[in-house]
Amino acid sequence: MNIHLPPGKRVYFASDFHLGAPDMARSRQREKLIVQWLDEASKDAQHIFLVGDIFDFWFEYKHVIPKGYTRLLGKLAELRDNGIGITVFIGNHDMWMDGYFEEELEIPVYFEPQQYVIGGKKFYIGHGDGLGPGDHGYKFLKKIFRNPVCRFLFSCIPPNWGISMANFWSRKSRAATGEKLETFLGENEEWLAIYSREILRKEHFDYFIYGHRHLPLDLKLGDASRYINLGDWLNYHSYAVFDGQTTELKYYKTGTPI
């Protein structure tokens, strides 16, 4: 896919907002900060990529979506109405999206990594869960959770019960994997860097953009490619921006130009 980038315009990337965690009060404060960041980014944004785990849990019943997040959803609708492109990738915490973003917000949602040419640079973008070597237990669970039969069976649970159960599982999952996801493993052991190097053997990309790791990273892959992990908004308020020439990791602070 090609995204035209006019002079003076930029492309923004962010992931792992985990709205809903660790509780609604703190989530709401983080949501307000994210909306403020989106407001500032919209001044020169041509396109915004949200690269997974926007929500700590999300499930779309036929007539019900999880309560809350109205500030974020309203802001995304406003940006789309103003002509700013937005693309969403699902993550391991919000993988049960099923048409709401496309139909209500006119925002495409992708379940697998996608390839883009932006301003003449090649990007490979995806959340990052289940990619690369190892983690076979999660890869097996991912197949189960994405199975249409499993989704249907979960949809039969009343929303009050289903969402409460899923929020409990989501908190347990973050508690079990948080330290592992937030620890730098070394350039030769980072599994998404290993995965990206395998791709580079077949095809060149200038940038590999992922979330999932909750750790801001910017690593060189050979002489002409970089792996950028977007970090998260639970701890870092980190994001990346491409200005047509280079992609830079940044950290959002209120009142600081982005």
Side-chain angles (χ1 to χ4, degrees), residues 140-226:
F140 176 73
L141 287 175
K142 184 176 180 179
K143 292 180 180 179
I144 295 175
F145 289 151
R146 289 198 183 177
N147 184 284
V149 175
C150 294
R151 292 180 62 162
F152 170 76
L153 292 174
F154 188 87
S155 73
C156 295
I157 302 173
N160 281 352
W161 295 356
I163 291 175
S164 295
M165 289 167 52
N167 281 330
F168 173 77
W169 293 333
S170 181
R171 288 192 295 270
K172 294 286 285 185
S173 172
R174 279 189 297 102
T177 62
E179 184 176 347
K180 177 182 178 181
L181 286 176
E182 296 166 16
T183 302
F184 180 55
L185 303 176
E187 292 191 19
N188 295 325
E189 299 297 329
E190 284 289 333
W191 69 85
L192 287 173
I194 295 171
Y195 174 78
S196 300
R197 290 189 183 101
E198 289 295 322
I199 293 175
L200 283 174
R201 293 179 181 177
K202 303 174 183 177
E203 183 177 0
H204 171 75
F205 288 91
D206 296 283
Y207 297 102
F208 293 85
I209 309 287
Y210 304 106
H212 188 53
R213 287 285 281 110
H214 288 224
L215 186 67
L217 294 171
D218 186 349
L219 304 179
K220 291 185 65 176
L221 303 176
D223 295 328
S225 298
R226 283 162 57 196

Side-chain angles (χ1 to χ4, degrees), residues 1-5 115-121:
M1 286 176 274
N2 276 289
I3 295 177
H4 176 61
L5 191 62
Q115 303 175 17
Y116 296 87
V117 176
I118 309 173
K121 302 288 187 180

Side-chain angles (χ1 to χ4, degrees), residues 11 45 47 53 70 103 110 151 161 176 194 202 218 235 247 256:
V11 175
H47 204 100
D53 283 355
T70 53
E103 296 166 10
Y110 293 102
R151 292 180 62 162
W161 295 356
I194 295 171
K202 303 174 183 177
D218 186 349
N235 299 300
T247 302
T256 302

